[in-house]
């Protein structure tokens, strides 16, 4: 059974850093593109970053230069390094997996989702 489990969220002051992890099981991780999305209070779930199975990455403009997505296929894990955090980054962060190589900024492209991890940035 396919499963994605996020970890690494928490409470941090503005300007601080966190690293989120998403461990995958039940799927051939190296053949999947992986994405990170977030949903802030009262907002829709939005794209944050993706990494293809070949290692191509894209970050949303709102996080570009502050967040970095990466993957370790040997550990079946995708990461999101978040630096220079701002209060507006406060959200539940979700990882997602898809065998697709296109339309990776769209939620509907992804087949599997984790349960989410809360990130709270205080001012």
């Amino acid at each position: 059974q396919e499963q994605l489990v996020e970890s690494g969220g928490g409470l941090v002051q503005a300007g601080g850093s966190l690293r989120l992890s998403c461990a995958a099981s039940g799927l051939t991780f190296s053949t999947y593109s992986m994405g990170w999305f977030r949903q802030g209070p009262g907002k829709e779930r939005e794209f944050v970053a993706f990494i293809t199975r070949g290692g191509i990455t894209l970050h949303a403009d709102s996080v570009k230069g502050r967040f970095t997505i990466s993957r370790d296929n040997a550990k079946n894990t995708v990461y999101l390094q978040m630096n220079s955090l701002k209060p507006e980054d406060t959200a539940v962060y979700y990882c997602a997996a898809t065998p697709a190589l296109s339309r990776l900024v769209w939620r509907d492209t992804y087949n599997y989702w984790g349960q989410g991890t809360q990130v709270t940035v205080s001012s």
Side-chain angles (χ1 to χ4, degrees):
Q1 183 177 355
E2 300 84 359
Q3 189 174 19
L4 302 175
V5 179
E6 301 97 336
S7 61
L11 174 64
V12 64
Q13 289 188 332
S17 297
L18 285 173
R19 189 177 80 154
L20 305 184
S21 300
C22 171
S25 59
L27 52 83
T28 308
F29 181 76
S30 62
T31 68
Y32 279 74
S33 298
M34 302 297 296
W36 284 100
F37 290 74
R38 67 185 181 185
Q39 188 166 13
K43 298 181 180 180
E44 292 190 356
R45 194 172 299 189
E46 64 176 2
F47 167 75
V48 174
F50 72 68
I51 183 166
T52 68
R53 61 191 186 208
I56 297 171
T57 64
L58 181 73
H59 299 79
D61 288 344
S62 59
V63 306
K64 200 171 293 183
R66 300 188 298 121
F67 292 10
T68 302
I69 189 172
S70 62
R71 66 190 297 160
D72 185 338
N73 288 341
K75 296 183 178 180
N76 288 357
T77 300
V78 61
Y79 304 98
L80 187 68
Q81 178 66 44
M82 306 187 296
N83 299 328
S84 302
L85 282 160
K86 304 175 182 180
E88 51 263 44
D89 295 319
T90 294
V92 178
Y93 283 72
Y94 299 88
C95 71
T98 175
L101 290 173
S102 61
R103 296 175 53 84
L104 296 176
V105 301
W106 300 106
R107 296 191 304 265
D108 291 348
T109 302
Y110 293 84
N111 303 88
Y112 307 109
W113 291 84
Q115 82 289 347
T117 186
Q118 176 71 47
V119 172
T120 303
V121 185
S122 64
S123 57

